[in-house]
Amino acid sequence: MPGVADLRSGRWGSGVYAGVLSLVVLAACGALGLMLHQPWLFPSLGPTVMLFFESPEQPASRPANALVGHGVGLVAGAALLYAFGLQSVPSAAAGGTDPGTSGGGCTVRGADHAGAHVAADAAPSGRGHHADRQPGHPA
């Protein structure tokens, strides 16, 4: 029976080995997320899994480094979620996205969404946010 070293030998063996195992791990995380009705796949998981299987002997592939790195990302994301007051806004996965929610931090804080200004200025009806101007008079 061939060992792991035999499977990883050769030019193609290492890439196929890493690719197949990465696919298996990501598929398992996706299946777990479907069963629990919670997202278990996140953008940095793919590169992390590939790094673990492609070069397991490298210092960057140590589980402690991955846990610390993902922990920093989690803490930074949570801090910004609360800093912008977005904890009551549904996630894009749950609530979807549209131009009105894409500037969620601006909307929650009471500021206008930057895209709304562009759309309002371009509106041919003249009822944009500069509708109070006299025709022919600059800002």
Side-chain angles (χ1 to χ4, degrees), residues 71-116:
V72 168
L74 179 70
V75 169
L80 291 172
L81 182 77
Y82 284 95
F84 286 109
L86 296 173
Q87 60 272 24
S88 63
V89 177
S91 69
T97 60
D98 61 29
T101 60
S102 63
C106 297
T107 304
V108 171
R109 293 284 184 196
D112 289 329
H113 183 271

Side-chain angles (χ1 to χ4, degrees), residues 14-69:
S14 180
V16 171
Y17 172 82
V20 168
L21 287 178
S22 296
L23 179 66
V24 168
V25 169
L26 294 174
C29 288
L32 183 62
L34 288 172
M35 288 185 326
L36 298 175
H37 302 288
Q38 292 290 324
W40 274 71
L41 293 175
F42 47 92
S44 62
L45 184 61
T48 301
V49 170
M50 188 67 179
L51 180 66
F52 281 173
F53 291 125
E54 180 62 30
S55 54
E57 65 281 346
Q58 296 295 320
S61 295
R62 293 185 182 135
N65 291 339
L67 291 174
V68 169

Side-chain angles (χ1 to χ4, degrees), residues 7-18:
L7 292 174
R8 294 194 61 195
S9 66
R11 186 172 165 195
W12 287 89
S14 180
V16 171
Y17 172 82

